[in-house]
Amino acid sequence: MKINCAFYTHKGNVRQNNEDSMLVHDVIYTSQSFTNAISSVIDDEKFVFAVADGMGGHAKGEIASNLALESIKDDFLGFAGQEDIKQAIYSAKGKLDDYARGERSSFGLGTTLCGMFINGKHAHVFNVGDSRLYRRQDGFLQRLTKDHSFVQYLVDSGMITEEEMSFHPKKNIVTSALTGDLITEMPEIYFNEIILNKGDQFLLCTDGVWESLSTEELEVCMLDKELVSKTDVLTENILRYGGFDNLTMIILEVVEV
């Protein structure tokens, strides 16, 4: 299988630090900001892509996001399915607990996590928190993840619409995350399994991306044929109309199956 990808991260217009990290196959990127988007074509049997958003208000969020992705990176070649991914996420929780135990000033460091493990034509989508993965088909974006957040609860209860999630005053309250807090309870994980087809495209992003633009605006930004151009247009619009948070995105295209 062959996958084309483009990826980018930026600290945004307001935050001093970039607490996001991303995993592109077997490389973790943690950076204040990229100068330009990076593109790559990967030919392999198994793939993994993920983003992690170090939670604002917690100590050393960039360390939390990096540690979470390390567990996925180290284990994904042995993944067979959902149960293996779950155990890797639980292992990530253990790493955060160990860090908090050794660095008491960092107690409570945390992160969201969202990713996709690909094995042949099968893809396992997973998330903890409110980072997202969308599939693009026929020009429209379909969200394949489900947020663990207070505003998602309000949507599910019919109290607000999905578009109102982005500007609700309690949009930043997550109901599941990976946290170094020495609590034995494991985070809630959402899973989704899909079949891949040639030409499928995906947008994997932290909340700094989807909160800045409506779904329709995201769809318009994804119109360009070149993946790097898509990241450029997305970033330009996010920084122009939002950029209140760190923003990280990975855009994927299935070239061969």
Side-chain angles (χ1 to χ4, degrees):
M1 175 174 281
K2 186 178 293 185
I3 291 180
N4 188 13
C5 63
F7 46 98
Y8 182 80
T9 187
H10 194 284
K11 66 183 182 63
N13 293 326
V14 177
R15 300 292 180 90
Q16 296 299 311
N17 296 315
N18 189 350
E19 296 180 311
D20 290 355
S21 298
M22 59 183 159
L23 171 61
V24 180
H25 198 43
D26 56 359
V27 179
I28 295 174
Y29 295 88
T30 303
S31 174
Q32 285 298 306
S33 297
F34 280 14
T35 302
N36 299 106
I38 299 173
S39 63
S40 179
V41 178
I42 307 170
D43 191 347
D44 213 329
E45 295 294 326
K46 290 184 176 182
F47 306 79
V48 69
F49 302 92
V51 297
D53 179 359
M55 290 160 52
H58 289 263
K60 300 184 179 178
E62 66 276 13
I63 293 177
S65 61
N66 188 74
L67 285 174
L69 293 181
E70 280 186 0
S71 288
I72 304 298
K73 170 183 174 292
D74 292 345
D75 296 344
F76 87 93
L77 287 176
F79 288 173
Q82 178 176 317
E83 188 60 32
D84 296 319
I85 299 169
K86 181 189 296 185
Q87 292 306 314
I89 293 174
Y90 288 173
S91 175
K93 158 68 173 166
K95 286 186 176 183
L96 294 183
D97 282 341
D98 289 343
Y99 189 88
R101 191 177 289 111
E103 298 282 344
R104 298 299 293 180
S105 63
S106 297
F107 185 87
L109 79 166
T111 184
T112 68
L113 175 66
C114 178
M116 178 166 61
F117 166 65
I118 299 170
N119 187 5
K121 291 185 177 182
H122 295 269
H124 294 270
V125 176
F126 56 92
N127 78 282
V128 179
D130 60 356
S131 291
R132 293 181 173 182
L133 188 144
Y134 298 86
R135 176 167 51 188
R136 181 175 185 264
Q137 289 184 325
D138 300 322
F140 296 97
L141 290 178
Q142 174 194 13
R143 177 154 58 112
L144 299 182
T145 51
K146 185 171 183 177
D147 297 348
H148 299 110
S149 66
F150 178 70
V151 289
Q152 182 68 64
Y153 164 76
L154 295 180
V155 170
D156 294 343
S157 302
M159 301 175 68
I160 65 172
T161 67
E162 187 158 332
E163 290 303 327
E164 290 175 316
M165 297 173 74
S166 298
F167 50 85
H168 192 279
K170 295 185 178 181
K171 65 181 181 181
N172 293 324
I173 299 177
V174 294
T175 56
S176 182
L178 287 166
T179 310
D181 52 13
L182 309 183
I183 295 175
T184 57
E185 183 179 356
M186 290 296 147
E188 181 181 356
I189 308 167
Y190 179 81
F191 286 100
N192 194 353
E193 185 174 355
I194 61 172
I195 301 297
L196 299 180
N197 299 292
K198 181 178 179 179
D200 280 352
Q201 292 187 351
F202 299 91
L203 169 64
L204 181 58
C205 63
T206 56
D207 64 346
V209 173
W210 66 262
E211 284 186 353
S212 295
L213 302 172
S214 68
T215 301
E216 290 77 12
E217 289 168 333
L218 290 173
E219 288 170 348
V220 171
C221 292
M222 292 280 286
L223 286 175
D224 200 290
K225 292 183 179 180
E226 297 295 329
L227 299 193
V228 169
S229 296
K230 294 180 194 290
T231 65
D232 291 343
V233 174
L234 279 166
T235 302
E236 179 183 350
N237 281 274
I238 291 166
L239 295 178
R240 179 182 299 169
Y241 301 112
F244 302 112
D245 199 355
N246 305 148
L247 56 111
T248 298
M249 66 189 80
I250 305 172
I251 300 178
L252 309 172
E253 181 177 18
V254 178
V255 179
E256 293 179 3
V257 293

